[in-house]
Amino acid sequence: MKTTPMLRMLRSRRPRCLLAALLCAAAAAPLAATSYVIVRDEALADTAPVAAVVRIAAADVGAGAAGARGGAPATEYTAEVEETLKGEVPGGVARVRVPGGLADGGMSLKIFGAPAFAVGERALLFLEPAGDGAFRILHLFLGAFHEVAAGGRRLAVRNLAEATEMQPGPGGIKILAGADTLRDFARFSRWVAERARGGRGAADYLIDDTGGALRQLAEKSTLLDPGDGINMRWFDFDSGGTISWRAHATGEQGLAGGGYAEFQRGLAAWTGAAQTPISYSYAGTTTAAAGLTKPDGVNAILFNDPNGELSPFDCGNGGVLGAGAPWYERATTSFRGKQYHRIRQADIVINKGLACFFAASPDASKAAEELFGHEVGHTLGLGHSCGDRVSPACSSSAALNDALMRARVHDDGRGARLGSDDVAGIQSLYSQPAEAPAAPTQLAATPLSTTEVQLNWKANSSDETSFRLEAAVLGGTFAEVGTAPARSTSAVVQGLQTATGYTFRVRAANATGNSAYSNEAAAATLGVVGPCISDSHALCLHGGRFRVQTQWRSDTNSGPASAVPIAANDSGLLWFFAPDNWELLVKVLNGCTLTSAYWVFLAATTDVEYTLTVTDTQTGKVAVYFHALHAAAQSVTDTGALASCP
């Protein structure tokens, strides 16, 4: 075969529902990828240019085109101001822009931890200008308090379930569980207004909720996420792909060497995780700095927030340390019987001003490695193993407490080391099957054109990652001619030779290996439609409608057969070595009234290998007959050879 056929899919079968038996808290938890140091209420009230009690009137998840940063994906809420506590909102209506939403090219951006609001709900917001007259929430989510009715009270509740609280101190970096003190909504609003006027009254709005009964009621009512509950994953690994990451050329402040080595070790921790095809690679530095503003085709960690996407970190007051986000398809794709959003790109943005944060750790390099590795785990689709408000307590299990994906950095010098729960979690998203898949059956081949043959088969597996297609010219050796995606039942092989007979076979493949082959199916590509012209190597039979040609091969020689025209309209002779040594007699008859086909009869007096091709020059249909070298002479009586009547 001189050309390499290509494949195009015709249709796919619906996968059977086969759920992975391995379930773990890490896979079930929300995908969290935002770290922060708590900002005290006093700092929120003092530093926010605007604070107001609002009611959400509308939400636009595709508002990025109106954004102040060149169309960064955003959800824009129309917030009607009920009470201004500090500053001024012109017209009494604020456009509050929250990062994350629809992006160009059919993708969406999800910022974990970014607040979400329901139309009609009431909230207390600390705001700062976002450009073009819009506002953004101070410190992403720390300045957003939902009004929640619980236990006969109106509470101000922050949603911290998708974020990780970190706290630097003399003993190192501590990451807390994310529990937030409950506040009385009306009293908290009044306290903020009084502080804006210069008052320094006590925080009489805090609620003592010993035992957490009131919190449980509040969290059941809090709007956690407007998402669809469908997990995200990369599909590139399933076919042996590698995802490349780059680090921004500025380097991270407060880390010797800029943090590049720590980030590479964070990536390496996940690459090749047991029984998974995960492959993250480090491709060097980059000046690409789109970050979370738009998908640019570069998976990158940006240091020092070059686009000003986060409220700057303050060593005295705290704030957001960094935010990671996947760019994903809103449509879903099936993997092993379950639907997922396909991740197309991921980015991590580290805030500016973190040198003091790393200085608080006894080993800044290992702390950064663990922190970066933790964030990398989120970009693969994992949530927390334990320690936030939606996963188990870390004290409930030694394995959970040992996990890199627990909601508290250990900061004990371990760096980005995977625990058993991390491995279990990642296997639930990317697990490789324990066995090779079952072999496909019922393979059939149908010619489509002069260079194409369609293959159809029955798929008997549900854990394949692809199907491998092989073809051989009649009498030749099989070679792979392409692959078809998992869940396929058909493909078209292209780039084949005209009027040529092939044998095809298919096998299923996954990360463990290949299945046995399917049955073999033969088909010939169509011939060129046009008048049959007799020459020394071609017979034109049945009034010139059918062209007959033959290629032969002996132990020492090969070539085209020579034609011997005779008076008969339907018959002809062929010789290989000498004109007085006839090898083949071929006859084409009209059997349309009996079998709805033209018949091909063949008589051979040779043990030489030959391939005889009969082409219907009116329809292009082809019949091919192969005889192996040194095999006994054979005859052919094919009464269904060419179903091209009349």
Side-chain angles (χ1 to χ4, degrees):
M1 202 159 34
K2 297 181 180 179
T3 58
T4 302
M6 297 176 292
L7 299 170
R8 57 181 168 85
M9 293 309 305
L10 296 182
R11 61 181 179 271
S12 297
R13 66 179 162 90
R14 297 176 65 86
R16 290 176 250 172
C17 184
L18 293 177
L19 297 178
L22 180 61
L23 300 176
C24 66
L31 303 177
T34 304
S35 302
Y36 68 95
V37 172
I38 197 67
V39 177
R40 295 176 296 111
D41 293 346
E42 291 82 359
L44 283 175
D46 293 347
T47 59
V50 173
V53 175
V54 304
R55 187 172 298 276
I56 304 300
D60 179 5
V61 297
R69 294 189 301 274
T75 299
E76 194 165 279
Y77 296 94
T78 300
E80 297 176 348
V81 177
E82 293 188 354
E83 181 182 3
T84 301
L85 308 177
K86 181 183 180 183
E88 181 180 356
V89 178
V93 177
R95 289 188 292 116
V96 180
R97 186 172 298 137
V98 176
L102 297 177
D104 294 335
M107 289 195 292
S108 295
L109 175 70
K110 170 63 178 175
I111 306 287
F112 296 105
F117 304 94
V119 173
E121 82 161 293
R122 200 163 176 253
L124 192 164
L125 304 180
F126 294 88
L127 304 171
E128 61 181 350
D132 71 349
F135 293 90
R136 69 180 182 185
I137 296 170
L138 189 65
H139 300 301
L140 188 59
F141 51 86
L142 295 177
F145 293 83
H146 304 266
E147 184 186 52
V148 175
R153 309 184 69 163
R154 311 295 294 184
L155 306 178
V157 179
R158 273 189 296 209
N159 173 24
L160 305 181
E162 290 185 347
T164 300
E165 182 179 355
M166 308 178 70
Q167 191 174 78
I173 299 173
K174 297 179 181 179
I175 296 195
L176 309 178
D180 192 28
T181 304
L182 295 179
R183 297 160 178 82
D184 180 278
F185 191 91
R187 290 183 180 179
F188 187 35
S189 301
R190 184 167 56 250
W191 179 87
V192 173
E194 291 176 353
R195 190 169 182 89
R197 294 191 293 267
R200 292 296 182 267
D204 61 350
Y205 52 85
L206 299 177
I207 296 175
D208 181 9
D209 186 31
T210 303
L214 191 59
R215 175 177 299 283
Q216 292 181 10
L217 292 174
E219 291 177 356
K220 288 179 180 179
S221 303
T222 302
L223 179 66
L224 295 178
D225 187 351
D228 53 11
I230 298 176
N231 294 120
M232 304 176 188
R233 70 186 299 277
W234 297 92
F235 280 76
D236 306 68
F237 304 135
D238 302 330
S239 56
T242 295
I243 302 299
S244 297
W245 279 83
R246 293 182 179 272
H248 197 260
T250 58
E252 175 58 38
Q253 296 177 354
L255 293 175
Y260 301 116
E262 290 82 358
F263 181 57
Q264 291 178 63
R265 292 196 294 269
L267 292 172
W270 296 99
T271 296
Q275 297 182 22
T276 75
I278 293 170
S279 179
Y280 267 174
S281 67
Y282 180 70
T285 60
T286 181
T287 57
L292 308 180
T293 65
K294 62 181 179 181
D296 59 0
V298 180
N299 307 299
I301 181 170
L302 301 188
F303 303 116
N304 313 310
D305 189 17
N307 300 313
E309 299 173 71
L310 305 172
S311 302
F313 184 81
D314 185 290
C315 292
N317 294 322
V320 173
L321 296 172
W327 300 88
Y328 67 95
E329 292 181 352
R330 296 181 67 81
T332 61
T333 302
S334 176
F335 174 72
R336 305 190 73 181
K338 186 176 179 181
Q339 296 297 314
Y340 294 89
H341 291 295
R342 183 189 296 268
I343 300 176
R344 288 296 192 185
Q345 183 185 323
D347 289 287
I348 299 171
V349 175
I350 304 300
N351 210 348
K352 57 174 64 74
L354 299 189
C356 59
F357 178 80
F358 288 112
S361 172
D363 189 333
S365 178
K366 285 297 183 181
E369 177 188 326
E370 188 175 0
L371 175 60
F372 294 161
H374 180 98
E375 295 299 321
V376 169
H378 288 312
T379 70
L380 288 165
L382 286 181
H384 291 143
S385 297
C386 64
D388 59 20
R389 289 159 49 203
V390 293
S391 60
C394 292
S395 59
S396 66
S397 166
L400 297 181
N401 193 54
D402 188 54
L404 176 61
M405 295 309 296
R406 78 168 189 168
R408 295 174 177 157
V409 170
H410 299 85
D411 195 29
D412 57 3
R414 69 178 60 198
R417 187 191 74 192
L418 299 190
S420 61
D421 189 70
D422 300 309
V423 175
I426 209 65
Q427 286 177 349
S428 71
L429 287 176
Y430 299 99
S431 60
Q432 295 178 332
E435 299 178 345
T441 55
Q442 300 179 25
L443 178 66
T446 305
L448 293 182
S449 72
T450 58
T451 59
E452 297 175 309
V453 171
Q454 178 179 321
L455 302 182
N456 292 82
W457 61 88
K458 178 183 178 183
N460 299 306
S461 55
S462 60
D463 56 353
E464 79 279 354
T465 56
S466 66
F467 289 93
R468 298 182 180 275
L469 313 182
E470 296 186 7
V473 175
L474 293 182
T477 303
F478 278 102
E480 187 168 309
V481 293
T483 60
R487 310 298 183 264
S488 304
T489 57
S490 63
V492 172
V493 182
Q494 298 178 314
L496 300 173
Q497 299 178 59
T498 302
T500 302
Y502 290 90
T503 301
F504 299 91
R505 64 187 185 184
V506 178
R507 57 181 173 175
N510 61 23
T512 300
N514 298 318
S515 73
Y517 285 107
S518 67
N519 60 294
E520 295 181 3
T525 53
L526 300 183
V528 176
V529 174
C532 180
I533 300 175
S534 296
D535 58 31
S536 61
H537 298 298
L539 293 171
C540 293
L541 304 181
H542 200 74
R545 175 166 177 172
F546 296 97
R547 180 171 53 247
V548 179
Q549 295 171 295
T550 301
Q551 290 286 330
W552 63 271
R553 182 179 69 86
S554 69
D555 289 321
T556 59
N557 209 348
S558 64
S562 297
V564 181
I566 57 178
N569 179 57
D570 296 330
S571 303
L573 297 172
L574 297 161
W575 59 269
F576 301 159
F577 303 102
D580 59 352
N581 180 13
W582 298 344
E583 310 281 351
L584 300 175
L585 166 65
V586 60
K587 180 166 56 177
V588 179
L589 300 177
N590 185 342
C592 291
T593 59
L594 298 176
T595 62
S596 299
Y598 287 89
W599 301 352
V600 173
F601 291 176
L602 175 64
T605 58
T606 184
D607 67 349
V608 173
E609 177 184 297
Y610 65 82
T611 302
L612 184 142
T613 304
V614 181
T615 303
D616 184 345
T617 61
Q618 291 186 16
T619 66
K621 290 187 177 181
V622 173
V624 180
Y625 304 92
F626 174 78
H627 177 261
L629 182 65
H630 301 309
Q634 64 180 14
S635 62
V636 172
T637 303
D638 188 355
T639 57
L642 295 162
S644 52
C645 296

